[in-house]
Structures are given as structure tokens and as C-alpha cells.
Amino acid sequence: MSEQQFQSNVRLSLGNQVYLERNRIDVLLEKAVQNPVVVVIAGAGYGKTHAVYSFVCKYGVHTSWLQLSERDNFTGRFWENFVTGVALSNKRAAERLDKISFPETERQFERYMTIPLEEIDTTVRTILVYDDFHLVNNPEVLRFMEKSISSPFPNITSILISRSEPLINTTKFLSKGLLGRITEEELRFSREEMNEYFGLQNINLSAQTLSSIYHDTEGWAFAIHLAGLSLKNAPPGAPYIPQAMRANIFKLIESEIMGTVSKAMQTFLIKVSLIEHLFPELLKDLAGSPDLIEEIGNIDSFIRFDTYQNEYHIHHLFLDYLKTRQNEIPEDEKKEVWNKTAAWCEANNQKMDAISYYEKAGNYDRLIAVCGNLTMMLPNRTAWMLLEILDKVPPEIYENNPFIYTHRLRITLSLGMLDQAERETLEAIARFEALPPSPMFHKILAVCYGNKGFIRLLLAPYTGDYDFIADFERCAWHGRQSGGRVVPFPLSVLAIGSFLCRVNKPEKGEIERYINALEAVASLSVEPLGGMEWGADVLARTELAFYKGNLAEAEQFALETVKRAREWDQYEVENRALTYLLRIYLARGNWEAIQDIFKQLEAQLDKAYYVNRFTFHDVICGWYYSRVGQTERVPHWLKNDFEGSDLNSMNLGLEILVKARYHMAEGRYPEALATLNLIENRSNTYDAGDFLFGMIILKALGAVCRYHNRDKSGAFAALETAYHLAAPNELDMPFIELGKDMRALAGAALKENTSIPPEWLKKIRLGASSYAKKLFSVAAQYRTGDGKTVKTGTAAKAAPYQTGVELSRREKQVLTALSQGMTRAEIAVQTSLSENTIKSITRSVYNKLGALNKADAVRIAASIGLV
């Protein structure tokens, strides 16, 4: 093919590698390109690019080759790449495309289509090749590609080269017989092709040996190539031994790689095989000499620098070889590598990696110090990992650094292992009270008694025992003996559950009794525990007043809560108080006050130590936008089928209630009921449905959904249950907040023979009607266009992360795959990486984004434009 017929946005070459002309594949491709779309799908090392490149060079038609990368998941970058590719063959079309932006809407796409329709000569046979299509996963780019290749251009064929099934809809082509497919099965070398390939390299083997090699390689082109290199360097007549092939490859590495570098470089490479991520700054620290970093360039075929991921990558076979030589490194030097790596991770806010490397180095003092810089309530997976590490800590470490006891207690409490947490707490108290007093032991005992108090506070709704106040008194006493504050920031940041009033009995006065106990705890824990619980008691009074419908009283309590919470950086307490203020102002139809609350909520997104800030901000926005008819603004993860959260179990439940609200706003009442059942069918003592307010809300929501589903008997039964739970404490707001839905249900119930007093139903119907009118007035702001000032979810405060988060190419690839709901196993297949590597990359993404789980990471990334 002449150069005029072939254009590419990158330089393409088969390189110096011996390449076998495979006529069989050419025939398959020639048949396939008679279709408008061809997909060539196979894993790494199957020779996809070589096969297509060889074919188009011989086919003799006009070909444009577009090499894609992860960067093309950014629409702006993709458009630049796309226009550049067009310019190689049609400068006039490219000049016109350059004047428009990436077509995001249908109208913009129609405008885009006028350019190729006017500029492309459809009488000329053309092939468009999109290489590495699997790297593209941005829905907008994929949608553009799908629509582009679907356009009716005669004589044009699009070839998509991909490691996995393209993320576009090819069904319409397949159903019409207009799709050509070349897969791994076709691309595998046949025995004859493998024999011919070895013949090109002057490697003569017996039929039995060829059969063994083919069995071992299964026709994988890359494996056959490596086998050929190994055999070519073997002594003449040496038999082929499957286990020896790997050994021969290692010998090849030994002679052709390690033999060409200095002894210092060899040692350095073996050392870096001890760690997972090879960041430039970390390698410079480990190398100690810039000469070693420069020398890496001599072996760039096996260790290369990825500019997009900003780290070095070692070829997996070379890495396997290096690991066989790790025993050459003395144990003290290994520990030095792990210590330096851990220190680098710690300095770069990769705390879990730091803990892991400190454990390998046996540096438990630093490990424990890093644990102390984690938040009070840990995500489940993080807590399990830490508990596993601490379970392996040698007994003498507990003697030398007794603060490890306090971390164990926090971890077991985070995991909801209350029995174990209480048992270990009592053992620790007995242990340290038996020792001679010292400031350190007083500090540990203050934490232990605080932990004991929290456990009993959590269990109080079930035991009816409020004697935990005595534990906090002991906590305060030991805190004073230790010299002051015993819990540092951020450990002092309180993580609260679904409701502050953790009461599950409807008896009158039980809620006030619980709040009084919280008030005593707050006054006792404020100094020794660094302000933990400060404002929580007033927040509980806010909650009670709100659900009673006493909005003026609730507002005053909420404002006082915000003031107290800010005094001691109690972010979650402040967040919940602002949430109740938002609900109060929505009930009043106060648009201006709602705008001010959103500004305050968004300001919290700057608080890095508020671990749950994005999750709860999205939950609040999801609830609010579902109420005002703006369901398109509900954060995407709250619309999907509910998935288990990696949040600490104390925070479960609220997001499920919001998801049910979203389904109700969309008129999907069966789906809303199914979502509510996720709470009702679980027996977790932290769930929203386990507390009085949650029970009432669940039943009230369920009653409305059943009424819409024409299940009147079920609706009235659920409403009766909710009423009897709410009546002793006059908790009317869970019903009133259901607005027109409850107005209709209460009106219908008045006509039925139920156990609910008619006076109460009339009151609720009137209150719900008034609420509906206020809600309508706020929702009208959006319908008239004035609502544009209310910002959507986490996107409202993206700036701090836009400038602070830099994800590598591989991290972006994994993050995008996570956003599409792929599992680790599926991502591993797509990227040809191990599941452990995917797990490590995922953990790094979470650390950089400050995310707790997949949903959190995707949400944050979407808000700052990373996915």
C-alpha cells in the first residue's frame, strides 16, 4: 500500500520481530470487511494489531488508523485525537470539525454529521481502524462511536481492535448480518503456523516437541514467541521440557538483561521487586543515586515508565525472575526497602499501604502511629484488614506499645463486634488498673472506659440499661489524670448512625430518657475525647422536636447544634443538624433559607477528615431532589440497584430510604417497596429500621406505596402500625412529610373502619395538605427556571479535588471499569492484570479520592470529571 493510502495518528511498524504472514487470517479479514463493522477481539499477545496492519497493507484500499488510549476517555482529548486522525486524510473536513466541539447532544451530533456527509467521497473504498478500543469506556465517547459507525456511509468499514467486547451495541449489525467478527479462536496460531514461524527463525523441532509446545502455549502468539527465543538460545539438540521453558526464559533474561547492567543495578532491581507501585520519587529515594535511575533506560523493553500512570512497570516475566532472586537481599536490607516505601506512602496519604509495608518491615511503632491517624469509625474492609494485621502482632509489641490495645478496641467496635469489643475492653481495663499509675496508662484507661461507655450506649436501646454514664465519668477522671485530651484528631470526630435517638420502644418518655443520658455523656466526654459527642445531645433534641412537628423548636435546637459542632469539628453532627434545617425550611417553603443551607452543606466538602462527607451530601441531595421533582439530579448511585456499602455499619439505612423516595418520585411503587424490604428484612442493630423513627418512616412509606399499588388493606394495616408506634410520643412529621400522598391515604382511611382515631387522620390530612402546598412552591422555582442556583450533589464543590487528585493511567482505567459496575475479576480479564493488582490499584484510587467504597469513589470521580 502506498503512503498516500495509509494514514495513522501514530507511527506504526512491525518492528524487528520476525512476523509470519498468515494468509488464513487475511482471508478471514477480507471476508469480514465486506461488512460495515468488524470487531477483532482477543487478549494481549494474540497479534491483533499485526494481523490487521498486515492485512490493510496488502488489501490496497484507503485506510485511516486511529490509535486510542485511556486519555480518549476525556471527550476533549478524544475529539482532538479524532480530528487529528481525520486531518491526515481530509484536511478540509478536519478544519471544519476543529471549529465544533465534541458532539454531546443529538442536535450537536446531527450538526457533526453534515460535515462527513459533505466532505467524504463515498465512492472511494475506505477502512477506518480504531486500535485498542477496549481502553475507551466513557459513555459519551462510546455513544459517539456507536452512532458514527452506524451511519449509512457506503464503501466504508470500521474495524474495532479490542481486548474485550466493545462497550457499544453491535446487536443491530449482528442481527442483520452486517457485523464481521475475528476472535481469539481465529487468531490463535495453528500447529502449522507455529511450525512455519519457528522455521522462519531457523528453529527445527520434532513433531513431538512441536506438539508439546503447542499444548503448553495453546497457540498464544506471545507465548510462542517467547518459546522461540528460549529454544533459539538453547544448546543444539536440547530437548523441550515444559518446566524448562520458563527456566530458559529466565536464563535469557539473565544473559541478555541482567548481564548488561551493573551489579548495583541488579541489586536495585531485585529490591524494587519487593514493592508493588514504582513511583519515580519513591525509586529515587530507594536508589540513592540518579545513575541507577538513568540506567533503567538500558532495559526499557522489560521495565518502562508510564507517563500517564506516573510509575514504572516491570514486565511480569521479568518480575517473576527478580522474585526468584529476592533471597539474595539480606533481611535488614529488605526491611529498609519496606520502611522507606511505607514512609513514602505515609507522606503521600496512602495510609493503608503504609501500614502494610510497616508490617512487612516489622516496624510496629510506626504502624501503630499510622493507625492513630485514621478516623474513629473505620470502613468495614479497612477494619478487617487492620484486625488481621493486629492479630499477627507479636505479644511483646503489646508490652512495648500498649496503645495497640486502644486501636484493637476501635476496630472491633467499627466492625460491630460488640461482644468481642466489650470482652477485650474489660480485659484491658483489668490489665492497666493493676499496673502502677502513669500518664500513659491513665490515657489508655480513659480510652478504654470511653470505649466501654460507647458499647453500652449502643446496646442501651436493647438492654434498657443507662449505666454507661458511670463509664464516661471514669473516662473523664482518667483523662484529667493523664494531663488532658487523650484522643487526637481525627479520632475525635464522632461518626453517628441513622438516627441520634437510638430508641426502639414507643413508650412515652423513653426518648427523653435517652436524650438526658446523651446530655450527660456529652458534658463528660468533651475534654478527654476531644469534643466527641459535643452537640449530639442537642441534635437528638432537634430530631425529637422535628418528628413531633414542633418546627420552631427544632430550628432553634438545630442552630445551637451547628454552633456546638463547629466548636469541636464534629462534622457529622453539623451535617445532620443542617439536614434537619433543610427539611424544616422545605416544610415552610422558604426558598432563600434552603439556598443558604446548601451553601453550608457544600462547604463541608472541603473537610478532608470528614470521611463520609460525599456519601452523606449525596444522600441529602438525593432526598431533597426526589421531594422537589428533580429526580434527574439525584446522584446516579442512588438510582441503581442497591449494593452493599463499605461504609461502617453504623451508617447503613439512610441511603436505602432515599433510594425508596427516588422510586416513589418516579412512580415505581413496587420497586420502592422492594427497596424498603432491604431494611425490614435485615437484623442489623445499626440499621435505620431498628429504631423507632426508622420503624415509623418505613411503615408510613410502605403504606403510601401499597395504596398506590391498589393494595388498600395492606396500606391501611401499615398505616395503623405506624400510627400506634408514633402516637405515644405524638410523632406526626413522618406522616406530614409525605405530602399529597399521605393526604390521599389519610382521606381514604377516614372512610374505612380502622383503629386510627379520625381526629388524628384529619390532623395529618390537613398537615400533609399544607406541606404539599409548601413543597409545590419550592418545586415551582425549578419549573420557572429560578432553581438553577441550587447545585447538584458533590459536583457543587469539585474544585478542591480537581487540583489535588492525580490518578495514573491504570488507576483511571480501573476507576472507569468500576463505574461501569465491573467486578475485580472482570477488570483483571479486561486489563490482563492479576486480581491482586486490581485490588491494589483500587485501594490506591480510594486513598487518593478519599473514598470509602466503589460507589463513593465513582461519585467523587464523576463530580470532578475523572469519569
Side-chain angles (χ1 to χ4, degrees):
M1 179 188 293
S2 66
E3 292 185 2
Q4 288 74 25
Q5 286 182 292
F6 182 91
Q7 294 87 26
S8 172
N9 66 326
V10 296
R11 182 179 179 85
L12 289 175
S13 172
L14 294 182
N16 298 322
Q17 178 183 327
V18 175
Y19 183 75
L20 175 70
E21 296 292 339
R22 303 172 69 190
N23 294 330
R24 178 177 60 86
I25 303 300
D26 291 340
V27 171
L28 291 173
L29 281 167
E30 185 171 5
K31 181 180 179 180
V33 296
Q34 304 310 310
N35 298 292
V37 179
V38 178
V39 292
V40 181
I41 306 172
Y46 277 87
K48 303 180 295 298
T49 296
H50 279 171
V52 175
Y53 180 76
S54 175
F55 166 74
V56 297
C57 285
K58 290 178 289 187
Y59 195 50
V61 302
H62 188 278
T63 302
S64 291
W65 192 291
L66 189 66
Q67 182 67 53
L68 301 171
S69 71
E70 284 90 347
R71 291 178 296 169
D72 290 303
N73 287 302
F74 296 94
T75 55
R77 159 61 188 165
F78 169 82
W79 192 244
E80 291 176 0
N81 195 14
F82 183 79
V83 172
T84 300
V86 172
L88 296 169
S89 58
N90 193 321
K91 291 185 178 180
R92 177 178 169 80
E95 288 173 357
R96 293 182 64 184
L97 291 174
D98 195 43
K99 294 178 181 179
I100 65 174
S101 60
F102 175 83
E104 296 179 349
T105 66
E106 289 292 334
R107 187 170 182 177
Q108 289 173 328
F109 185 81
E110 291 174 4
R111 180 185 175 192
Y112 149 75
M113 282 300 297
T114 62
I115 297 175
L117 283 170
E118 294 172 0
E119 300 293 343
I120 292 178
D121 184 356
T122 56
T123 64
V124 177
R125 184 80 176 94
T126 302
I127 291 178
L128 306 176
V129 181
Y130 300 93
D131 199 359
D132 282 339
F133 198 86
H134 59 277
L135 298 178
V136 177
N137 41 43
N138 182 324
E140 293 181 337
V141 175
L142 290 169
R143 184 167 57 248
F144 169 79
M145 289 297 304
E146 181 178 330
K147 291 163 70 175
S148 293
I149 66 176
S150 302
S151 301
F153 289 117
N155 284 326
I156 294 181
T157 294
S158 298
I159 300 179
L160 313 181
I161 304 176
S162 179
R163 289 187 185 178
S164 57
E165 195 70 39
L167 299 175
I168 61 174
N169 182 14
T170 57
T171 306
K172 49 190 165 187
F173 296 105
L174 187 62
S175 62
K176 296 178 182 180
L178 300 176
L179 177 70
R181 288 177 65 87
I182 307 293
T183 66
E184 288 181 358
E185 289 305 313
E186 288 86 10
L187 289 171
R188 289 182 192 275
F189 270 55
S190 67
R191 293 175 188 269
E192 293 74 18
E193 287 172 332
M194 184 184 69
N195 191 18
E196 188 178 350
Y197 176 74
F198 286 150
L200 288 174
Q201 299 191 75
N202 297 317
I203 300 173
N204 299 312
L205 303 168
S206 67
Q208 183 179 355
T209 300
L210 285 170
S211 180
S212 296
I213 294 175
Y214 192 77
H215 177 270
D216 292 336
T217 61
E218 296 181 340
W220 182 31
F222 184 63
I224 289 173
H225 171 63
L226 289 178
L229 288 177
S230 177
L231 290 165
K232 197 171 185 179
N233 288 276
Y240 168 74
I241 303 173
Q243 296 83 358
M245 185 179 75
R246 189 178 184 85
N248 286 335
I249 293 174
F250 283 3
K251 288 179 182 178
L252 187 68
I253 292 173
E254 183 74 39
S255 61
E256 296 193 11
I257 306 298
M258 301 300 275
T260 64
V261 301
S262 65
K263 182 65 177 176
M265 184 62 177
Q266 292 186 36
T267 302
F268 174 63
L269 290 172
I270 298 170
K271 285 183 176 180
V272 299
S273 72
L274 294 166
I275 59 179
E276 290 188 30
H277 299 292
L278 310 180
F279 299 103
E281 299 81 4
L282 174 58
L283 287 193
K284 288 177 184 177
D285 187 27
L286 294 175
S289 168
D291 296 338
L292 290 179
I293 302 298
E294 292 180 10
E295 196 174 348
I296 290 177
N298 297 333
I299 53 172
D300 58 357
S301 59
F302 278 84
I303 178 169
R304 63 181 178 82
F305 180 67
D306 189 324
T307 55
Y308 306 119
Q309 196 170 352
N310 191 37
E311 67 175 286
Y312 287 91
H313 291 284
I314 303 178
H315 192 284
H316 71 91
L317 284 172
F318 188 37
L319 182 60
D320 288 345
Y321 163 79
L322 292 172
K323 288 180 178 179
T324 66
R325 295 186 58 182
Q326 287 179 354
N327 61 344
E328 298 176 19
I329 306 297
E331 199 62 29
D332 60 331
E333 292 185 22
K334 289 181 181 178
K335 289 182 178 181
E336 182 183 8
V337 170
W338 288 322
N339 268 315
K340 285 186 176 181
T341 304
W344 187 90
C345 291
E346 184 181 355
N348 286 274
N349 202 34
Q350 297 180 17
K351 293 185 176 65
M352 298 312 298
D353 283 340
I355 289 172
S356 179
Y357 284 118
Y358 279 136
E359 182 198 17
K360 289 183 177 181
N363 190 344
Y364 293 104
D365 286 340
R366 286 308 312 159
L367 185 154
I368 295 167
V370 176
C371 285
N373 289 325
L374 298 174
T375 53
M376 178 65 184
M377 301 304 289
L378 300 165
N380 287 348
R381 290 173 187 159
T382 299
W384 278 116
M385 174 186 166
L386 288 175
L387 186 59
E388 183 179 345
I389 289 174
L390 295 187
D391 280 342
K392 294 184 291 186
V393 171
E396 60 270 18
I397 301 301
Y398 282 81
E399 299 294 331
N400 298 330
N401 197 329
F403 281 107
I404 197 169
Y405 286 99
T406 64
H407 296 314
R408 281 192 62 89
L409 300 179
R410 175 164 55 108
I411 292 166
T412 50
L413 183 58
S414 290
L415 291 170
M417 302 164 63
L418 300 187
D419 290 341
Q420 180 175 339
E422 185 173 31
R423 184 179 67 254
E424 292 190 9
T425 298
L426 294 175
E427 290 172 356
I429 288 174
R431 174 184 179 82
F432 290 104
E433 284 188 337
L435 296 173
S438 72
M440 180 176 68
F441 291 167
H442 279 302
K443 185 173 288 190
I444 292 172
L445 283 167
V447 173
C448 288
Y449 274 108
N451 199 68
K452 181 185 174 187
F454 276 119
I455 293 171
R456 295 192 174 182
L457 186 151
L458 292 174
L459 293 174
Y462 314 98
T463 64
D465 186 356
Y466 288 77
D467 67 350
F468 54 77
I469 296 175
D471 294 315
F472 283 101
E473 289 174 344
R474 294 294 294 169
C475 169
W477 185 84
H478 281 289
R480 290 191 295 270
Q481 302 307 308
S482 70
R485 180 170 175 167
V486 298
V487 176
F489 194 80
L491 283 176
S492 58
V493 179
L494 177 66
I496 57 180
S498 303
F499 298 97
L500 256 292
C501 297
R502 293 175 51 84
V503 173
N504 53 19
K505 299 176 183 178
E507 285 81 359
K508 183 175 179 61
E510 187 66 23
I511 300 175
E512 285 84 353
R513 183 183 173 213
Y514 186 83
I515 293 176
N516 290 337
L518 279 183
E519 189 173 50
V521 169
S523 63
L524 291 168
S525 64
V526 60
E527 289 295 338
L529 299 184
M532 189 185 299
E533 291 284 347
W534 190 239
D537 56 325
V538 188
L539 178 58
R541 296 193 186 282
T542 302
E543 194 171 79
L544 177 58
F546 177 81
Y547 284 120
K548 280 178 170 287
N550 299 332
L551 300 189
E553 184 180 354
E555 180 184 18
Q556 293 305 310
F557 282 137
L559 292 171
E560 175 63 21
T561 301
V562 171
K563 178 183 176 182
R564 293 196 184 190
R566 289 174 178 172
E567 290 174 359
W568 287 90
D569 293 325
Q570 295 300 300
Y571 305 131
E572 203 153 311
V573 173
E574 177 188 351
N575 178 274
R576 298 304 178 81
L578 291 172
T579 301
Y580 280 113
L581 286 170
L582 178 68
R583 294 168 74 173
I584 290 166
Y585 297 143
L586 184 59
R588 292 174 177 169
N590 190 334
W591 172 257
E592 290 75 16
I594 290 172
Q595 306 313 299
D596 180 64
I597 294 300
F598 265 103
K599 290 178 182 178
Q600 294 184 62
L601 287 168
E602 288 157 8
Q604 284 200 307
L605 299 180
D606 289 335
K607 308 298 184 182
Y609 282 111
Y610 179 18
V611 177
N612 299 324
R613 61 194 183 280
F614 290 102
T615 297
F616 283 125
H617 191 75
D618 276 0
V619 167
I620 295 166
C621 288
W623 179 88
Y624 174 79
Y625 289 124
S626 293
R627 300 300 295 132
V628 297
Q630 298 292 303
T631 54
E632 71 278 2
R633 298 190 181 193
V634 174
H636 188 70
W637 68 278
L638 287 169
K639 300 178 183 181
N640 293 334
D641 291 338
F642 181 76
E643 61 179 47
S645 174
D646 191 41
L647 286 174
N648 181 273
S649 53
M650 283 185 67
N651 300 308
L652 293 174
L654 292 181
E655 67 267 40
I656 308 180
L657 288 174
V658 171
K659 181 174 176 60
R661 286 275 196 175
Y662 164 73
H663 283 310
M664 290 175 63
E666 290 286 286
R668 294 194 290 264
Y669 300 104
E671 288 87 346
L673 279 171
T675 302
L676 294 173
N677 285 337
L678 288 172
I679 299 179
E680 290 190 304
N681 292 339
R682 293 195 307 199
S683 57
N684 190 311
T685 55
Y686 293 135
D687 278 357
D690 208 52
F691 304 123
L692 181 61
F693 295 153
M695 295 176 197
I696 297 169
I697 292 171
L698 282 171
K699 291 299 180 183
L701 287 172
V704 165
C705 291
R706 288 180 172 85
Y707 185 72
H708 280 288
N709 281 343
R710 303 183 187 279
D711 176 13
K712 289 187 177 182
S713 61
F716 296 145
L719 184 61
E720 284 182 305
T721 301
Y723 164 75
H724 291 297
L725 288 170
N729 292 285
E730 300 178 345
L731 304 175
D732 294 341
M733 204 61 188
F735 306 92
I736 291 173
E737 271 194 309
L738 289 171
K740 63 180 182 180
D741 292 319
M742 183 53 67
R743 177 181 62 195
L745 177 58
L750 279 168
K751 302 175 184 178
E752 301 291 331
N753 183 23
T754 70
S755 62
I756 306 174
E759 295 77 14
W760 184 85
L761 287 171
K762 291 176 183 178
K763 179 178 69 170
I764 293 300
R765 184 178 63 175
L766 181 63
S769 178
S770 175
Y771 182 91
K773 292 175 183 178
K774 300 296 185 182
L775 187 65
F776 182 85
S777 69
V778 173
Q781 298 287 338
Y782 295 93
R783 290 190 292 274
T784 59
D786 296 334
K788 61 185 179 180
T789 55
V790 176
K791 301 176 183 178
T792 308
T794 55
K797 207 66 175 177
Y801 275 79
Q802 282 181 315
T803 58
V805 174
E806 293 185 6
L807 297 185
S808 67
R809 177 180 61 85
R810 187 67 73 187
E811 287 170 337
K812 290 175 183 176
Q813 183 180 10
V814 170
L815 177 60
T816 304
L818 290 172
S819 73
Q820 296 165 348
M822 295 179 67
T823 65
R824 279 206 299 265
E826 290 169 337
I827 300 172
V829 172
Q830 182 190 48
T831 59
S832 298
L833 298 173
S834 70
E835 286 192 48
N836 283 336
T837 300
I838 298 300
K839 181 178 179 181
S840 177
I841 294 173
T842 303
R843 187 167 64 248
S844 177
V845 170
Y846 289 179
N847 286 338
K848 288 185 178 182
L849 293 177
L852 296 174
N853 54 30
K854 179 173 71 176
D856 206 14
V858 171
R859 183 171 59 260
I860 296 169
S863 74
I864 61 178
L866 287 177
V867 298

